[in-house]
Amino acid sequence: MAVAALHSGGIADHIHPEPQGFVRRYVFSLDHKIIGIQYLITGFVFFMLSGLLAEAIRTQLLNPSGGFVAPGTYNEVYSVHGSAMVWLVVIPLLTGGFGNLVFPVQIGARDVAFPWLNMLSFWIFPVAGLMLFSSFLMGAPTAGWMEYPPISLQGAAGTSMWCAAIFLVGVSSTITGINFVVTILKMRAPGMTFTRMPLFVWGQFATAPLLMIATTALAAALAALFIERQFGVPFFDPTKGGSPVMWQHMFWFYSHPAVYIMILPAFGIISEVLPTFARKPIFGYKLIAFSSMAIALAGFMVWAHHMFTSGLAPFLQLPFMIITYLIGVPTGIKIFSWTATLWGGKIHYTTAMLFAIGFVGLFTLGGITGIFLAAIPFDLHVHGTYFIVAHLHYVLIGGSLMGIFAGMYYWFPKMSGRLLNETLGKIHFWLFFIGFNGTFLPMHWLGVMGMPREVATYDPQFTFWNRFESVSSYLMTFAILIFFVNVLWSIRYGKRAGANPWGARTLEWQVPSPPHYYNFKHVPTVYGLPYDFSQPLPYSGLEEELTDSPPPVAAGAH
Amino acid sequence: MSVAAIGADAHGGVDQLYVETRELRLQGFLLFLVSDCVLFSSFIFAYLYLRNSGQGWPPPGIQRLDVAFAAWNSVVLFGSGATMHYALENFKHGKFIKYMWFLLATIVLGAGFLGGQAFEYNHLIFGEHVTWWGSGIFGASFFTLTGMHGLHVFFGVCYLTVLVLQSAAGVYTRGKYFGITAGTLYWHFVDVIWVVLFSIFYLL
Amino acid sequence: MNAQLIERLGAVIGGIAVAVVAFYALYKDWQVTGVENQVFKLMLALLGLGAVLALLAGLNVIGFAPSKGAY
């Protein structure tokens, strides 16, 4: 299967000459690890920007009558906040960022399949991000991150800019998806069979086809919205025979798989962190791996559960409800496997582990409200209320973002050679955990009581909990500031990490921190799963990795 | 002549790096075609959705599309698919001159299809029942989908023209001709998309 | 002989030719292996199908006859 097994002057033996100069090394780099770090930096910059927008939202909601920004501006703020968090932060951080940074090393490859496309795909992303934020200059979109017509058809010029920006991010995601699928299928080290791949690789392997297929469907929807806005071509305008519900179909056919794009890599991160710090083999390796694939597949069959209030025929609603329930099964399998991994383990409460355990708890909460929302009668009651906001933030912050932080604390030593400060990290975790729950837990009952989302003012009876949420959100922001301080401080002054500070067993920890641009001096041979902590490492050919010897093949440019 | 091994070089050996790189490129290209297929599928979904949203099809005041001309024009495009197939076959068997002729025939037929489409557009836009992109859901779906397909054909023609120039310059050898394989895949893909579009616009 | 008849004749004759060529190429390549050749086989089958559809449309078996002559 793996071509690299042949070992006769093929890709596995092919080392490019070392890149020279600052630009080729750090700016237009072809090295997947540098590109991963570029994604992380860019993603976190956009994270700060859209986090500021989130704080603007919470500050507006301190008072029932608002008053911080004008209602129209409020609409722009939450629309750009949602779009940026989904497309510029969570997806690029988890796929482009951690995916690029870690998984090629984990499968024993020297680089991804198409380094040039990888670089292209990265450089599209900041351009698209700047386009999205620049839409404020011409009147940002006002219809939320879903941009439902007809409101998006009437929106200011920035809505077209939004379409173009998201289209570009989509192109970048599609390229990344193609690149990752080919890399995982074709570039694995000898002996790295599918059932020996680390679970983070499985997470990426389940995500990449979604990136490739679902994102293209979104591109079609965005192109249709764009040409309708710019050239008056009727797709969605009901007065010209179009159908606004069609946008909802086209959009959610992408955006439901997109929620799995945002969570499956985080599942992968958690599946790496938990066994490492519980010092125990992961429970149910194959079940976790295959349930990722099951979730990815079923993710394409449930999009209309976002549309129960759109007048969908009842006989169509029922199957969507049932399949949505079915997705709870593989997700539950994962949760139970992680819990069983912790059971009886020798748990090290590092910051990465705290975030991973926090992930398991908070994601379960978000997942359970997801099961609530899949029930048609309940969904009809809370659709468009803060209950939805609570649910999506529990899976996106409690799930994806906690996964991102766990990954940062876990892999920061690998990318920089220094550990993040654990004391600051624990302060970060606890403040973030308390602030997060304080912000989003009350939204559940506010939503059930009927507080509508995406409105700049609210009924005065909700004042207490809204103020409580806003104050908690400031706490959360403060915690994230501590994280950024921690990163900036630790890059300069952090404790030296060495190759393997956590005693982890996947391949990336067997090479120096940071790894050489060619990853491995000799491509290793793999004999088993990386999670059996009582056994010797299942790799051979890694003897020289931590010595100063040069790689055997240093030439061979083409 | 028989087919040479992939990656074979002039000295009778096999370039392993080329073999593996080609494998990656092939898979990447096929996945690109899959995602392109999803792009078309989304618009086809939109067309079928709008078509079934009431008021009958074609919508009131719109003339039915002329199936005779479209059938003839489709045959031109399908014929180009057949010639492209034989271009690749001939190249694989080392018959370079025949390959070039088949490739040129493909380009001519592809350009002919584009001309036919331009003729049809001209008739629809400036005929007695004016239909254009923005004039209704019929124009929106028809011109978006066929226009997108036409763009793909146009890019294909450009690609094949580049292939002619590259082949004349001797870029492709007996064992290393992935550019031609990719061109053939792309051209077949464009043909097959047209099979679907022809069926749903002219026959349904 | 009007324009429509010429178009239909072209569709029928061309459709037969392309369908025969496509299915013959498919038959000849049936045993060939390799990813790209499997894709080629699928594409050739669909191409033949398309040619048959165009041929049937030219014969006025499927599709709708236009109200009057061709463009």
Side-chain angles (χ1 to χ4, degrees), chain A residues 3-12 14 112-114 167 174 177-178 181-183 185-187 212-214 216-221 223-224 227 231-235 240-243 245-246 249-250 253 303 556 558, chain B residues 14-50 53 55 132-142 144-145 148:
Chain A
V3 181
L6 294 173
H7 259 301
S8 51
I11 295 168
H14 182 72
V112 290
F114 310 111
F167 187 93
T174 310
I178 292 175
V181 172
V182 178
T183 309
L185 283 179
K186 288 286 174 188
M187 309 262 292
M212 197 184 87
I213 293 170
T216 326
L218 176 73
I227 57 181
F231 308 114
V233 178
F235 280 103
K240 293 185 187 165
S243 164
V245 176
M246 190 174 83
H249 279 293
M250 293 172 87
F253 185 74
W303 76 91
H558 47 171
Chain B
V14 169
D15 184 348
Q16 186 62 24
L17 184 63
Y18 178 83
V19 172
E20 291 179 14
T21 318
R22 176 185 178 278
E23 196 94 337
L24 299 180
R25 286 183 188 163
L26 177 66
Q27 215 159 55
F29 195 79
L30 287 174
L31 291 176
F32 157 70
L33 292 184
V34 167
S35 63
D36 209 6
C37 191
V38 175
L39 190 68
F40 275 103
S41 308
S42 300
F43 277 109
I44 288 170
F45 163 80
Y47 159 66
L48 294 176
Y49 191 95
L50 291 176
S53 63
Q55 63 175 307
W132 176 227
W133 214 14
S135 62
I137 51 176
F138 178 86
S141 45
F142 178 79
T144 307
L145 266 169
M148 212 162 81

Side-chain angles (χ1 to χ4, degrees), chain B residues 22 66-67 69 78 123 199, chain C residues 7 29 36 50 53 64 70-71:
Chain B
R22 176 185 178 278
D66 186 313
V67 72
F69 179 77
F78 298 153
H123 175 80
S199 312
Chain C
E7 286 160 14
D29 280 1
E36 77 271 36
L53 285 177
F64 296 87
Y71 296 141

Side-chain angles (χ1 to χ4, degrees), chain B residues 119-203:
Chain B
F119 179 71
E120 192 177 7
Y121 274 22
N122 183 43
H123 175 80
L124 285 173
I125 298 165
F126 302 109
E128 60 256 62
H129 298 280
V130 178
T131 316
W132 176 227
W133 214 14
S135 62
I137 51 176
F138 178 86
S141 45
F142 178 79
F143 285 107
T144 307
L145 266 169
T146 54
M148 212 162 81
H149 176 264
L151 263 183
H152 276 75
V153 176
F154 176 73
F155 287 135
V157 168
C158 296
Y159 188 111
L160 297 186
T161 313
V162 172
L163 272 188
V164 168
L165 299 176
Q166 282 185 328
S167 308
V171 171
Y172 300 108
T173 62
R174 290 298 304 282
K176 300 182 177 180
Y177 55 89
F178 180 67
I180 303 173
T181 311
T184 314
L185 278 171
Y186 181 79
W187 195 258
H188 275 316
F189 169 77
V190 169
D191 281 350
V192 165
I193 292 290
W194 185 253
V195 175
V196 178
L197 293 188
F198 174 67
S199 312
I200 60 172
F201 275 114
Y202 296 91
L203 302 181

Side-chain angles (χ1 to χ4, degrees), chain A residues 111-242:
Chain A
D111 205 329
V112 290
F114 310 111
W116 279 92
L117 281 183
N118 207 11
M119 179 176 81
L120 174 72
S121 143
F122 167 71
W123 279 105
I124 293 174
F125 159 53
V127 174
L130 291 178
M131 279 169 70
L132 178 60
F133 280 101
S134 71
S135 69
F136 272 115
L137 299 176
M138 53 189 91
T142 50
W145 77 286
M146 301 91 76
E147 286 300 311
Y148 280 3
I151 300 176
S152 56
L153 294 176
Q154 297 154 356
T159 312
S160 300
M161 192 61 138
W162 177 89
C163 291
I166 304 302
F167 187 93
L168 278 184
V169 185
V171 172
S172 157
S173 288
T174 310
I175 297 174
T176 306
I178 292 175
N179 208 344
F180 283 10
V181 172
V182 178
T183 309
I184 295 174
L185 283 179
K186 288 286 174 188
M187 309 262 292
R188 282 169 288 127
M192 178 71 82
T193 57
F194 275 107
T195 46
R196 286 176 189 167
M197 292 196 308
L199 284 166
F200 182 70
V201 182
W202 270 105
Q204 294 290 339
F205 189 50
T207 312
L210 298 182
L211 278 177
M212 197 184 87
I213 293 170
T215 314
T216 326
L218 176 73
L222 290 167
L225 187 64
F226 185 84
I227 57 181
E228 172 146 14
R229 282 182 51 85
Q230 295 305 111
F231 308 114
V233 178
F235 280 103
F236 306 120
D237 187 349
T239 59
K240 293 185 187 165

Side-chain angles (χ1 to χ4, degrees), chain A residues 227-468:
Chain A
I227 57 181
E228 172 146 14
R229 282 182 51 85
Q230 295 305 111
F231 308 114
V233 178
F235 280 103
F236 306 120
D237 187 349
T239 59
K240 293 185 187 165
S243 164
V245 176
M246 190 174 83
W247 165 267
Q248 301 185 19
H249 279 293
M250 293 172 87
F251 180 81
W252 287 114
F253 185 74
Y254 158 77
S255 281
H256 199 77
V259 308
Y260 300 120
I261 293 175
M262 292 185 268
I263 200 66
L264 288 174
F267 285 169
I269 294 174
I270 299 309
S271 310
E272 296 295 324
V273 173
L274 285 179
T276 302
F277 294 114
R279 285 288 178 274
K280 225 186 121 208
I282 186 114
F283 183 89
Y285 167 84
K286 281 188 184 169
L287 281 175
I288 294 182
F290 296 154
S291 62
S292 287
M293 301 310 278
I295 291 173
L297 195 66
F300 280 110
M301 298 181 240
V302 295
W303 76 91
H305 67 210
H306 296 269
M307 300 166 53
F308 286 152
T309 55
S310 71
L312 205 65
F315 72 89
L316 280 176
Q317 293 182 2
L318 213 56
F320 280 111
M321 173 172 104
I322 292 167
I323 300 171
T324 310
Y325 280 153
L326 286 181
I327 290 186
V329 175
T331 317
I333 288 174
K334 281 172 184 289
I335 301 280
F336 283 118
S337 299
W338 291 327
T339 318
T341 307
L342 292 175
W343 184 313
K346 188 177 181 330
I347 298 178
H348 298 240
Y349 286 103
T350 58
T351 312
M353 186 61 162
L354 286 177
F355 273 106
I357 296 174
F359 173 99
V360 176
L362 297 182
F363 179 79
T364 307
L365 209 55
I368 286 175
T369 51
I371 295 291
F372 286 16
L373 289 168
I376 297 167
F378 187 78
D379 185 74
L380 294 181
H381 179 67
V382 296
H383 190 93
T385 68
Y386 265 80
F387 194 86
I388 307 277
V389 180
H391 162 69
L392 77 92
H393 283 91
Y394 262 86
V395 285
L396 279 182
I397 299 184
S400 308
L401 193 59
M402 295 283 255
I404 289 170
F405 282 136
M408 276 302 284
Y409 282 94
Y410 186 59
W411 280 307
F412 188 82
K414 188 43 71 181
M415 58 178 126
S416 70
R418 290 173 190 271
L419 291 160
L420 281 173
N421 186 300
E422 283 289 309
T423 314
L424 281 178
K426 279 172 185 153
I427 296 172
H428 166 206
F429 170 76
W430 284 110
L431 290 185
F432 184 80
F433 189 81
I434 295 165
F436 166 74
N437 281 301
T439 311
F440 293 104
L441 198 61
M443 286 186 188
H444 287 108
W445 50 85
L446 287 179
V448 175
M449 284 156 76
M451 180 174 164
R453 68 190 283 204
E454 302 184 339
V455 179
T457 57
Y458 55 89
D459 193 300
Q461 60 166 318
F462 304 130
T463 310
F464 171 75
W465 285 115
N466 270 292
R467 288 193 174 156
F468 185 83

